Amino acid sequence: MKIVVVGTGGREHALAWRLARGASVNPVAGVTSTSTSSSSAAHEVVVVPGNAGIARGFRCVEARSVADIVAVCLAEAADLVVVGPESFLDAGLADALDIAGIPCFGPKQAAARLESSKAFMKDVARAAGVPTSDFVVATTVADAEAFFAARTGRGVVIKADGLCAGKGVVVCSSVLEGRRELADMLGSGGTGPRFGEASRAVVVEDLLPGAELSVFALCSDEQAVILGAARDHKRIGDGDTGPNTGGMGAVGPLGAAEGVTDDFLEDVRQRFILPTLRELARRGSPFRGVLFAGLMNDAAGQPSLLEFNVRFGDPETEALLFALDVDLAPVLLACARGEAPGDCRPLGDTKGAVVIIAAPGYPTDPERGAPIVGLMAADAQPDVQVFCAGIAAGSFGFVVDGGRVLAVAGRGASFDEALDRAYAAVDLVHIEGAQVRRDIGASVRRR
Ligand code: GLY
């Protein structure tokens, strides 16, 4: 199969890496596969546009607009296109590929609204009966007054309706703070909406306590299989301090020790994923792609929906796909064609971890240009893979070219082993002023 992966980051590098391999090609040292099958077919993968680091292992072709990407996919005679970032889906890449007759793993624009409009997502969730926090959609502060009045002494979350590059969600510990944030986001003081069109409408919802996790379902219209669950770390600093980022590290797949049993995942499929797919189909917008459910588990282990994303998580994907010994390509192709997705249960029980090396100044103002030393040495470690994100070719080697620079993944028979391998490899990389969290996976460590 010839597969085009669209995107520029560590997530797309991980997708290309896993898709190219099939299953059981690179068994993990010391981890015994429970399957009797040997290896499955490898596939040819092209990344569009990719980056200088991805180009070490895959052919990368430059194209950044929907029209140019479709032209590349046609020229490559792609059997399958897998879209990484939501921005291309929101811009209608899946619609354009459908017109061109190329199967696309990633939803069309109308279904991608599940991520690009928080108000649409809440409306679909409510109509589908998916457990989620109570909410109101406000275009003026007055719209939320009754909601605030009923919540004195409680926390609320203020979410811009549209895409804001991860900056549109503010958690408020009091209603007072919530009112202030809502006014600021709507720009009711006369300044205009803080995020332009994206915060002309704002979702105000109850703050839910508990432990967050990300569940990934591979969806084909009204059918779905669960790929796995992971946990990421969003804040820049150790102990969950400092501003939010795209994610500074992740661990997965979560298992029974983390409360994520097969029954739990089946419950998420039955009560969160399938009703949402049926509701979208009922509205004439069937969904083909990955549905990423951001969940909050309460103290009793009961999940509630925080948000849906319509793409793989970054960096959750790097941890999951490095660990999961699964032949992804046939499943993604079946989903893209609207056929039964089949089975994507992994061989073995490997755990994965990923640690992000971020540029100085990230997330507000990442500095570009610093040399990256030690990438090859880190990549050469057993059961380690360095997935490349904000990186470019300089005169004497790779240089920093974005906020999240490298996603260093480790895997092993336990999360401890996977994390130790990832951190040992991180310590072989030097970037002046780089930022690395030292507590990734602390909640899943056993020692
Ligand atoms: N890591 C969170 C996300 O991809 O949205």
Side-chain angles (χ1 to χ4, degrees):
M1 208 189 299
K2 178 124 169 225
I3 304 168
V4 169
V5 173
V6 178
T8 58
R11 166 184 51 199
E12 289 74 31
H13 194 176
L15 281 162
W17 184 91
R18 175 49 69 198
L19 285 164
R21 271 161 183 75
S24 283
V25 175
N26 284 341
V28 180
V31 176
T32 315
S33 168
T34 54
S35 167
T36 50
S37 74
S38 53
S39 72
S40 60
H43 307 284
E44 182 184 351
V45 178
V46 176
V47 185
V48 178
N51 63 45
I54 297 176
R56 285 173 61 221
F58 297 92
R59 191 157 58 82
C60 292
V61 181
E62 184 58 34
R64 290 176 193 260
S65 70
V66 166
D68 288 351
I69 294 168
V70 173
V72 169
C73 296
L74 283 169
E76 294 287 340
D79 298 301
L80 171 67
V81 178
V82 179
V83 183
E86 68 279 10
S87 54
F88 289 118
L89 299 165
D90 193 42
L93 179 56
D95 306 65
L97 286 166
D98 185 43
I99 291 165
I102 303 173
C104 173
F105 185 81
K108 292 186 181 174
Q109 202 173 35
R113 279 189 74 211
L114 219 44
E115 177 162 356
S116 62
S117 168
K118 301 278 181 284
F120 178 75
M121 185 278 281
K122 291 294 266 191
D123 186 56
V124 169
R126 181 180 272 172
V130 169
T132 188
S133 57
D134 215 359
F135 71 100
V136 66
V137 179
T139 54
T140 66
V141 178
D143 290 345
E145 250 337 298
F147 188 90
F148 283 138
R151 280 157 179 83
T152 309
R154 284 158 53 183
V156 292
V157 183
I158 310 294
K159 291 181 172 174
D161 178 46
L163 295 174
C164 299
K167 300 192 182 96
V169 177
V170 184
V171 175
C172 304
S173 52
S174 71
V175 161
L176 197 69
E177 196 186 332
R179 268 201 199 91
R180 208 169 40 235
E181 274 302 331
L182 176 62
D184 189 48
M185 231 184 237
L186 290 169
S188 13
T191 50
R194 194 197 301 168
F195 299 108
E197 237 359 90
S199 65
R200 219 170 266 291
V202 173
V203 172
V204 181
E205 65 181 18
D206 284 322
L207 174 62
L208 300 174
E212 270 188 60
L213 74 158
S214 311
V215 176
F216 298 91
L218 309 178
C219 305
S220 174
D221 296 341
E222 295 181 51
Q223 305 177 68
V225 288
I226 301 289
L227 176 67
R231 177 162 295 138
D232 82 340
H233 297 254
K234 292 196 172 65
R235 303 291 188 105
I236 187 78
D238 284 4
D240 288 330
T241 53
N244 261 338
T245 70
M248 291 296 289
V251 287
L254 303 178
E258 293 77 41
V260 182
T261 58
D262 287 351
D263 285 350
F264 175 87
L265 291 175
E266 179 56 17
D267 179 56
V268 170
R269 196 177 79 92
Q270 292 290 347
R271 290 196 302 131
F272 292 74
I273 306 295
L274 294 178
T276 302
L277 295 179
R278 286 194 287 268
E279 177 62 19
L280 286 171
R282 193 187 66 75
R283 294 179 186 215
S285 311
F287 188 99
R288 295 180 185 175
V290 61
L291 199 48
F292 159 1
L295 302 176
M296 185 66 88
N297 261 0
D298 69 13
Q302 282 303 311
S304 286
L305 180 72
L306 293 176
E307 63 177 9
F308 276 130
N309 294 309
V310 299
R311 43 141 186 111
F312 286 99
D314 191 353
E316 292 97 321
T317 302
E318 290 92 310
L320 277 177
L321 293 189
F322 189 46
L324 289 175
D325 194 2
V326 59
D327 191 8
L328 209 51
V331 184
L332 301 197
L333 180 64
C335 290
R337 286 181 171 155
E339 296 165 358
D343 189 4
C344 71
R345 266 175 309 169
L347 312 175
D349 188 23
T350 307
K351 298 297 180 190
V354 63
V355 178
I356 296 291
I357 304 181
Y362 179 72
T364 45
D365 202 8
E367 289 167 30
R368 290 178 155 76
I372 301 169
V373 179
L375 191 163
M376 314 297 182
D379 212 19
Q381 301 307 302
D383 285 316
V384 165
Q385 182 73 32
V386 179
F387 296 114
C388 298
I391 155 170
S395 314
F396 303 103
F398 292 118
V399 296
V400 172
D401 192 38
R404 290 188 291 175
V405 183
L406 301 174
V408 181
R411 61 183 176 185
S414 65
F415 279 124
D416 285 301
E417 210 168 79
L419 285 159
D420 289 349
R421 285 179 176 148
Y423 273 115
V426 163
D427 290 339
L428 297 174
V429 178
H430 180 74
I431 299 170
E432 197 60 41
Q435 306 180 81
V436 174
R437 270 185 72 158
R438 288 284 158 189
D439 62 347
I440 300 301
S443 69
V444 297
R445 276 196 183 272
R446 294 288 166 261
R447 59 171 157 77

